[in-house]
Amino acid sequence: YRIVQQSLTNAVQHAGPGASIRVELTRADDALHLAVTDTGPATADHPKPPPAPGGYGIPGMRERARTVGGTLAAGPRKDGHPGFTVTAKLPLADR
């Protein structure tokens, strides 16, 4: 939940007005796979705000994933479109 929440917060702050955000959750290979993708970047009409000093968004998400044995990646979209994607793979415990 916190990884999705932080990803959405980052997208709202950095992608700019009018950007869309997609959240995908799937279960496969005994893990929860999540992806949060935005259509940023900001345009000249709506410039991106300056980064907040001392932000720990992505490192904090990466640490949350690591503490449960998962992984997290974050960076520009790899499909040739503008924007940013956060992906995580979180193992599901047998219960």
Side-chain angles (χ1 to χ4, degrees):
Y1 165 77
R2 291 288 295 136
I3 291 172
V4 173
Q5 183 181 36
Q6 184 65 51
S7 296
L8 292 171
T9 298
N10 288 353
V12 168
Q13 288 180 330
H14 300 291
S20 63
I21 305 166
R22 180 182 180 121
V23 177
E24 298 176 84
L25 301 171
T26 56
R27 181 180 180 158
D29 306 320
D30 294 325
L32 175 67
H33 298 259
L34 69 93
V36 180
T37 303
D38 70 58
T39 59
T43 66
D45 294 336
H46 301 284
K48 186 192 274 189
Y56 296 103
I58 293 172
M61 291 187 290
R62 193 168 281 122
E63 179 63 17
R64 283 183 187 277
R66 189 195 63 76
T67 62
V68 297
T71 58
L72 184 130
R77 290 174 59 168
K78 295 181 181 186
D79 60 6
H81 295 284
F84 199 83
T85 299
V86 174
T87 59
K89 180 179 179 182
L90 308 172
L92 296 171
D94 291 335
R95 299 210 185 236

